[in-house]
Amino acid sequence: MSYSDPLPPFAITIALPFCLAFGWSGLMIYRGSRRRGPAMAELGMGLGFLGGYVALTGGLPFLDDLPNAVIGKIALLLLLPAALLTLWLPGPRVTRWLVALVAAAATLWIARGAGFDFATLADMAVTAAALAASLAIAFRLQALGQGSAVPVLILCLVAASLAGIAYIAQAPVFTGLFTSLTTALAGFLFWCRPFAKRPVGAAGLILSLTLLLVLAQGFWRDAVVTPWSLVIVAGAFWSDRIVERMPVLARRSRRRTERPGLLIAVAVLCCLVGLGLAALVARFHLAA
C-alpha cells in the first residue's frame, strides 16, 4: 500500500484487530488458568495489531517484501518476550527496566531500518533524541497507574490521536497502522473495567508501549508533520505531573477514586490539543 492509496477499509483497520484482541483476551481471562490467564490475555494486543498489519500489507513479516517491513518484524518478535513474561511475572521495578530495555532496542532497530547508519552527526542526533524520548516515556509509564490498566488506556488514547494526525498529514499507511493499534488496545481494554483496579503486567506494557513508539518513530521520520503536535500528544504521559501542578486538581487527585479519571481527562486534553495543532498547521500549509 502506498501513501497515495485511499484509506484502508473499516474491516481491516478497526474490526479485525479489535475482534482478534477481544476474542483472545476474553478467552484467556475466562478459560485460562487463574494465575496465568490474565497475563496471557495481554498477548491479545500484539495479536490484534499483527493481524491488522498483515491484512493492511497483504503479507507476512520476514517472508514477504512489505512496506514498513521493520514494523511488522518488531511486532512479531515482541510476542516472544511477551509470551515468556506470562510465565515469569516480574515485580514493578524489574518491569520498569524491562519495558525501557525493549523500547530502547526497538527504537535503535527502526532507526537502522530507516537507513540511519549513525555515520553523520545529524543521524546520531536524531536517533539519540528518539532514544531519549522512548526511555523517558518508558520510565514514566508506571507512574500513571501502577497496578492498573490506566497506562494502557492512555496509550490507546495517544494511538487514536496519532491516527488522526496521520490522517491530517495524508499518510494513509500510518493512519491504518495507528488505527489498528488503537482498536487492538481497545479490544483488550474491554475486559479491564474498572480500569483503576485491573493490573496490567510486563507483557502488556511492553507490547502496547513498544508498538506505539515504533509507529510514532516511523511516522515522524517518513511523514511531513509538525513535531510540536507529537510533543504535545506525548504530554499525555506526564498527566500526573500536570495534575500535581494544578492546585485544584492536585487536591482532588489525592483521592484514589478520582485520580485515574483526572489523569485520563488530562491525557485526552493533550491529545485533542495536539490534533488541533496538526489540523491548524495543515490548513495553513494548504493555504500557502
Side-chain angles (χ1 to χ4, degrees):
M1 180 183 297
S2 67
Y3 289 106
S4 61
D5 291 337
L7 287 179
F10 170 88
I12 291 177
T13 58
I14 296 179
L16 178 61
F18 179 86
C19 290
L20 285 174
F22 175 85
W24 174 269
S25 300
L27 182 65
M28 292 298 103
I29 288 173
Y30 287 101
R31 296 298 181 183
S33 68
R34 190 169 185 177
R35 177 175 170 77
R36 306 294 181 189
M40 291 290 291
E42 296 169 9
L43 298 178
M45 293 181 280
L47 293 172
F49 174 77
L50 191 59
Y53 175 86
V54 170
L56 278 167
T57 58
L60 297 174
F62 293 103
L63 297 180
D64 300 299
D65 185 16
L66 304 174
N68 300 291
V70 65
I71 294 175
K73 292 175 181 179
I74 291 175
L76 182 60
L77 290 179
L78 278 176
L79 291 175
L80 179 58
L84 292 176
L85 287 171
T86 63
L87 303 176
W88 170 53
L89 305 177
R93 182 175 298 180
V94 176
T95 295
R96 185 181 299 112
W97 282 100
L98 284 174
V99 171
L101 178 63
V102 175
T107 297
L108 293 175
W109 189 0
I110 199 168
R112 293 288 295 178
F116 283 62
D117 56 10
F118 311 115
T120 67
L121 184 61
D123 285 358
M124 293 175 63
V126 170
T127 302
L131 184 61
S134 298
L135 289 173
I137 293 172
F139 283 121
R140 291 288 311 143
L141 202 58
Q142 285 185 316
L144 298 174
Q146 184 173 309
S148 75
V150 172
V152 178
L153 177 57
I154 291 178
L155 286 166
C156 184
L157 293 171
V158 171
S161 67
L162 292 179
I165 293 174
Y167 175 76
I168 293 169
Q170 299 180 356
V173 172
F174 281 101
T175 302
L177 291 174
F178 277 122
T179 304
S180 293
L181 179 59
T182 301
T183 52
L185 298 183
F188 167 74
L189 286 168
F190 180 89
W191 304 103
C192 296
R193 299 166 298 171
F195 302 116
K197 296 182 179 180
R198 166 65 166 84
V200 176
L205 294 178
I206 284 175
L207 281 170
S208 55
L209 177 63
T210 306
L211 288 173
L212 178 68
L213 291 176
V214 165
L215 288 180
Q217 189 176 350
F219 172 54
W220 174 58
R221 292 181 188 277
D222 293 347
V224 179
V225 61
T226 170
W228 292 112
S229 298
L230 304 185
V231 170
I232 292 173
V233 170
F237 298 110
W238 279 263
S239 297
D240 59 322
R241 296 288 178 86
I242 296 173
V243 167
E244 290 167 2
R245 281 160 176 72
M246 301 177 70
V248 176
L249 297 182
R251 288 194 294 270
R252 297 186 62 180
S253 69
R254 296 189 184 100
R255 307 170 190 169
R256 288 189 175 183
T257 56
E258 294 189 27
R259 180 177 174 82
L262 291 173
L263 297 184
I264 293 168
V266 172
V268 169
L269 181 61
C270 290
C271 293
L272 290 176
V273 172
L275 267 172
L277 178 60
L280 190 63
V281 170
R283 182 175 180 181
F284 278 108
H285 179 72
L286 291 175

